[in-house]
Amino acid sequence: MQYSIVGSGNLAHSLAKALNSSGYTPKFIHSRNEKNGRTFAKRFGFTFENDLKNFDHKGFIFLAVNDDQIKAVAGKLPKSEAMICHSSGSVSISAISVKHKRRAVLYPLQSFKTKKTISLRKVPICVEGSDGNTTAEINQLANKLSDSVYQFNSKIRKQIHLSAVIANNFSNHLLKLSFDHLEKFDVDPDILYPLIRSTYRNALKHDPAVLQTGPAKRKDQQVIDEHLRMLKKNRSLQKVYEVLSKSISNSK
Amino acid sequence: MQYSIVGSGNLAHSLAKALNSSGYTPKFIHSRNEKNGRTFAKRFGFTFENDLKNFDHKGFIFLAVNDDQIKAVAGKLPKSEAMICHSSGSVSISAISVKHKRRAVLYPLQSFKTKKTISLRKVPICVEGSDGNTTAEINQLANKLSDSVYQFNSKIRKQIHLSAVIANNFSNHLLKLSFDHLEKFDVDPDILYPLIRSTYRNALKHDPAVLQTGPAKRKDQQVIDEHLRMLKKNRSLQKVYEVLSKSISNSK
């Protein structure tokens, strides 16, 4: 079965690697950045195609583009027998024009930032199709890539995406804030590594609500106030500290 | 060398286990909760002692009590040859009365919440002593417990503790918030586990600033606004979302 990809970013790389390994045949690649696109084409065996109008074949066309590009790109693709499939958690399936008969979503629940391709085998994939047959077909494809495939509609997928933003983007940012703070005092952030390792290991084994420790959990206002004073020159982190401490204190 | 402990919580357990294994001899244990204290005494070979006035021996007396109890407990201990040692990141060494000649801090940079004792071997320990000899001695003891011992004064230790609160307590709370959100939509939080695992693994391998993804990093105001709308019935989480997104957008 043939497939094409629009986009040549980190997700496109991981997707192409996984699809090639699963026996799908690369057809066209298009990318706004032609140089990246041509390198990508060479690496994975695609034909670089400048004009989206020529994306006309059976099989699958994956949109691995920014969320705000999905609608425009899908609109430019010609009517064909291909299934048009975007990969965003936060965009509804309805962003793909109904002129395409078979519309789908394949959302890998992972953060694609590091340059190396990520194996999708252990990555949960949420799929959705415009009708029963399409859903069955994208589901079948996803099952070849990953051990964990889930069917959710756009509404629930958006909630999952929101939860992922909280768990991944926000946690990652807290680590950055915490490392930056240590570096201000010439302390090597390495000192936090064992704590961070145990934080997530424990959270995956126990209920994070039960694991909660710290001044906010103990409602130790004296320590909280001292921390807020210590952050008086970093208003942004002070605000983060205040809001999260309040949220911890108020949570059940 | 003899040692005593005041307190019978999770830290006291891990400390007693590690000290016994390192050849230190348990002497007295005192705990406000006498039942817990007596169980603890039996488990680790201490004598339960109700009166702090009787804590009079050579060696070490560890205060594994709440931050706000350190000053009072240290005040009640008799003058002796023992080194009085608290274990808090956020409390200055000066909370221990100067009537005690040898004052110290042994702060294990770890979250002690799960009931099982934690091996201190891989836990960084920050030590401080009231004078050169005391520092050397608490440093020597800490080195028997852990592979990573650091000497920091109270000022820097407090900054490390603040960073640990951000990295551990706040991250853990975000996981709780994210799991709670999913459960509202009947989605099993298990779906987030691979993402969380990679979040922390990556952050320990790369710079978390470089790893940052998501709508706030992309300054994708449309998705941010939609997420804020999706959280309109959860004002507390909405506020957390807003403040962290702002902090990500503004960070370099």
Side-chain angles (χ1 to χ4, degrees):
Chain A
M1 185 75 81
Q2 288 186 322
Y3 77 99
S4 295
I5 300 187
V6 184
S8 61
N10 293 315
L11 170 60
H13 276 78
S14 296
L15 203 54
K17 195 177 176 187
L19 286 165
N20 282 2
S21 301
S22 298
Y24 291 86
T25 310
K27 176 93 176 153
F28 299 129
I29 168 81
H30 171 82
S31 171
R32 282 190 299 190
N33 182 323
E34 186 170 336
K35 199 184 150 208
N36 281 356
R38 291 200 181 273
T39 309
F40 189 98
K42 213 166 159 182
R43 177 167 174 195
F44 294 106
F46 289 87
T47 301
F48 183 81
E49 175 54 67
N50 232 325
D51 195 343
L52 287 173
K53 283 201 200 91
N54 295 328
F55 275 59
D56 183 2
H57 61 79
K58 294 185 183 177
F60 302 88
I61 297 174
F62 291 98
L63 312 183
V65 297
N66 282 349
D67 291 4
D68 54 4
Q69 294 297 308
I70 292 170
K71 197 170 181 170
V73 170
K76 283 181 197 157
L77 291 170
K79 280 170 91 164
S80 74
E81 288 184 49
M83 185 186 297
I84 314 299
C85 185
H86 83 61
S87 48
S88 163
S90 62
V91 174
S92 167
I93 191 171
S94 65
I96 303 170
S97 159
V98 292
K99 80 174 181 193
H100 302 294
K101 243 173 62 190
R102 305 196 307 147
R103 305 175 299 281
V105 179
L106 180 143
Y107 167 51
L109 194 45
Q110 186 54 271
S111 177
F112 293 90
K113 182 74 179 191
T114 51
K115 277 190 181 157
K116 73 175 199 306
T117 58
I118 292 171
S119 160
L120 298 178
R121 185 54 49 204
K122 299 291 172 204
V123 172
I125 293 182
C126 303
V127 296
E128 178 178 10
S130 51
D131 60 84
N133 282 343
T134 307
T135 305
E137 214 179 319
I138 193 68
N139 192 53
Q140 195 182 18
L141 179 143
N143 268 295
K144 287 189 188 159
L145 311 182
S146 165
D147 295 337
S148 322
V149 177
Y150 301 83
Q151 284 177 37
F152 289 116
N153 63 27
S154 291
K155 188 178 162 251
I156 297 294
R157 189 178 62 253
K158 284 181 186 194
Q159 301 289 0
I160 294 171
H161 175 254
L162 169 52
S163 301
V165 166
I166 298 167
N168 168 271
N169 299 154
F170 291 177
S171 289
N172 185 66
H173 183 61
L174 288 177
L175 297 183
K176 177 206 176 326
L177 292 174
S178 154
F179 289 6
D180 285 356
H181 185 72
L182 277 184
E183 280 170 353
K184 271 188 194 153
F185 299 94
D186 275 335
V187 179
D188 188 330
D190 279 10
I191 200 172
L192 288 181
Y193 282 13
L195 179 66
I196 292 168
R197 202 170 287 123
S198 73
T199 302
Y200 84 87
R201 276 199 188 152
N202 284 334
L204 299 177
K205 273 192 273 181
H206 309 275
D207 177 1
V210 172
L211 294 172
Q212 195 63 60
T213 61
K217 178 67 186 177
R218 291 192 303 273
K219 297 187 203 286
D220 185 342
Q221 200 57 45
Q222 213 174 318
V223 172
I224 294 172
D225 288 343
E226 185 174 5
H227 283 167
L228 290 172
R229 273 195 304 276
M230 286 158 74
L231 295 172
K232 69 169 182 262
K233 284 184 184 163
N234 187 345
R235 284 293 169 87
S236 164
L237 180 51
Q238 196 186 44
K239 190 75 201 163
V240 168
Y241 187 100
E242 195 186 340
V243 167
L244 279 167
S245 290
K246 211 170 278 177
S247 178
I248 293 172
S249 297
N250 293 337
S251 78
K252 288 157 205 153
Chain B
M1 184 76 82
Q2 287 185 323
Y3 77 100
S4 295
I5 298 186
V6 184
S8 61
N10 292 315
L11 169 59
H13 275 79
S14 295
L15 204 53
K17 194 176 178 189
L19 286 164
N20 282 2
S21 301
S22 299
Y24 292 86
T25 311
K27 176 90 176 158
F28 298 129
I29 168 82
H30 171 82
S31 170
R32 282 191 299 190
N33 182 323
E34 185 169 337
K35 200 185 150 206
N36 281 357
R38 290 197 180 276
T39 309
F40 188 98
K42 214 168 160 180
R43 176 167 175 194
F44 294 106
F46 289 87
T47 302
F48 182 81
E49 175 55 67
N50 233 326
D51 196 342
L52 287 173
K53 283 201 201 89
N54 295 329
F55 275 60
D56 183 2
H57 60 80
K58 294 185 185 176
F60 301 88
I61 296 174
F62 291 98
L63 312 182
V65 297
N66 283 347
D67 291 5
D68 55 3
Q69 294 297 307
I70 292 170
K71 197 170 181 171
V73 170
K76 282 181 197 158
L77 292 169
K79 279 169 91 163
S80 75
E81 288 183 51
M83 185 186 298
I84 313 299
C85 186
H86 82 61
S87 49
S88 164
S90 63
V91 174
S92 168
I93 191 171
S94 64
I96 302 170
S97 160
V98 292
K99 81 175 181 191
H100 301 294
K101 244 173 58 191
R102 305 196 307 146
R103 305 174 300 282
V105 180
L106 181 144
Y107 166 51
L109 194 44
Q110 187 53 272
S111 177
F112 293 90
K113 183 73 179 193
T114 50
K115 276 189 181 158
K116 74 173 199 259
T117 59
I118 293 173
S119 161
L120 298 178
R121 184 55 50 202
K122 298 291 171 204
V123 172
I125 294 182
C126 303
V127 296
E128 179 179 10
S130 51
D131 59 85
N133 282 343
T134 306
T135 305
E137 215 179 319
I138 192 67
N139 192 53
Q140 195 183 19
L141 178 141
N143 269 294
K144 287 188 188 160
L145 310 182
S146 164
D147 295 336
S148 324
V149 177
Y150 301 83
Q151 283 176 37
F152 288 115
N153 62 27
S154 291
K155 189 180 160 250
I156 297 293
R157 189 178 61 253
K158 283 181 187 194
Q159 300 289 0
I160 295 171
H161 175 254
L162 169 50
S163 301
V165 165
I166 297 168
N168 168 272
N169 298 154
F170 291 176
S171 290
N172 185 67
H173 184 58
L174 287 178
L175 298 182
K176 177 206 176 328
L177 291 174
S178 152
F179 290 5
D180 285 356
H181 185 71
L182 277 182
E183 280 171 352
K184 272 188 194 154
F185 299 94
D186 274 335
V187 179
D188 189 329
D190 279 9
I191 200 172
L192 289 181
Y193 281 12
L195 179 67
I196 292 169
R197 203 172 286 123
S198 72
T199 301
Y200 289 97
R201 275 199 189 153
N202 284 334
L204 298 177
K205 273 192 274 181
H206 309 274
D207 176 1
V210 172
L211 294 172
Q212 195 62 62
T213 62
K217 178 68 186 175
R218 292 192 302 274
K219 299 187 200 284
D220 185 343
Q221 199 57 45
Q222 212 174 319
V223 172
I224 294 173
D225 288 344
E226 184 173 5
H227 283 167
L228 290 172
R229 274 195 303 277
M230 285 159 75
L231 294 172
K232 68 169 186 261
K233 284 186 184 162
N234 188 344
R235 285 293 171 88
S236 165
L237 180 51
Q238 196 187 43
K239 190 79 199 158
V240 167
Y241 187 100
E242 194 186 340
V243 168
L244 279 167
S245 291
K246 210 170 278 177
S247 177
I248 292 172
S249 298
N250 294 336
S251 80
K252 291 156 204 156

